[in-house]
């Protein structure tokens, strides 16, 4: 069981569900093996910030874009949804960010899934 990890995918518009997902694991040892990935990031110096969430959410899409690996695998439309979401979050437009996430979240999920599969293949 020591080699087992859990990746939980989240999105900006579903972030309020994270704590319940973590609580479902119960065991602190298992919770320590959980990695959260999303289309936004939280942690020291990142926004948004959850007062009750004591672990970072890694922005999978930012990591993919920084590596350049996503550019050849997706269309400009999905990248624009991500950039619109990021800009809304950065500017403090939480209502707009939530609307973008609710409307286009499944498009962003497709890109996050690519990242998650990449993690598995790199192990």
């Amino acid at each position: 069981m020591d080699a087992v990890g859990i990746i939980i995918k989240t999105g900006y518009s579903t972030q309020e569900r994270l704590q319940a997902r973590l609580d479902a694991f119960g065991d602190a040892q298992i919770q320590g093996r959980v990695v959260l990935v999303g289309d936004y990031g939280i942690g020291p110096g990142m926004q948004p910030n959850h007062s009750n969430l004591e672990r970072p959410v890694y922005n999978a899409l930012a990591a993919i874009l920084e590596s350049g690996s996503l550019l050849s695998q997706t269309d400009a439309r999905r990248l624009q949804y991500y950039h619109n979401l990021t800009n809304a979050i950065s500017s403090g437009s939480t209502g707009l960010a939530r609307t973008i996430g609710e409307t286009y979240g499944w498009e962003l999920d497709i890109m996050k899934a690519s990242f998650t599969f990449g993690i598995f293949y790199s192990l």
Side-chain angles (χ1 to χ4, degrees), residues 20-85:
R21 289 179 181 173
L22 291 171
D23 291 346
F25 291 106
D27 185 337
Q29 185 178 11
I30 293 173
Q31 284 194 15
R33 295 189 186 122
V34 173
V35 175
L36 305 173
V37 296
D39 50 25
Y40 67 100
I42 62 169
M46 297 181 207
Q47 292 296 328
N49 191 4
H50 300 278
S51 59
N52 62 342
L53 196 62
E54 297 179 5
R55 69 183 66 232
V57 174
Y58 296 97
N59 187 333
L61 301 183
I64 294 171
L65 287 173
E66 287 174 15
S67 74
S69 63
L70 184 64
L71 297 177
S72 64
Q73 299 177 21
T74 191
D75 59 51
R77 178 177 42 102
R78 288 187 180 131
L79 289 174
Q80 189 60 52
Y81 297 149
Y82 171 69
H83 289 301
N84 291 345
L85 175 65

Side-chain angles (χ1 to χ4, degrees), residues 104-122:
Y104 302 109
W106 62 275
E107 295 273 9
L108 300 174
D109 285 347
I110 292 168
M111 294 191 301
K112 288 182 284 191
S114 298
F115 174 78
T116 304
F117 291 136
I119 290 173
F120 289 125
Y121 289 121
S122 68

Side-chain angles (χ1 to χ4, degrees), residues 3-21:
V4 174
I6 301 165
I7 298 172
I8 297 178
K9 178 192 66 64
T10 187
Y12 186 82
S13 63
T14 59
Q15 59 188 294
E16 69 280 351
R17 300 178 197 162
L18 277 177
Q19 192 61 54
R21 289 179 181 173

Side-chain angles (χ1 to χ4, degrees), residues 92-106:
S93 301
T94 56
L96 176 59
R98 184 164 292 282
T99 299
I100 292 168
E102 289 170 353
T103 305
Y104 302 109
W106 62 275

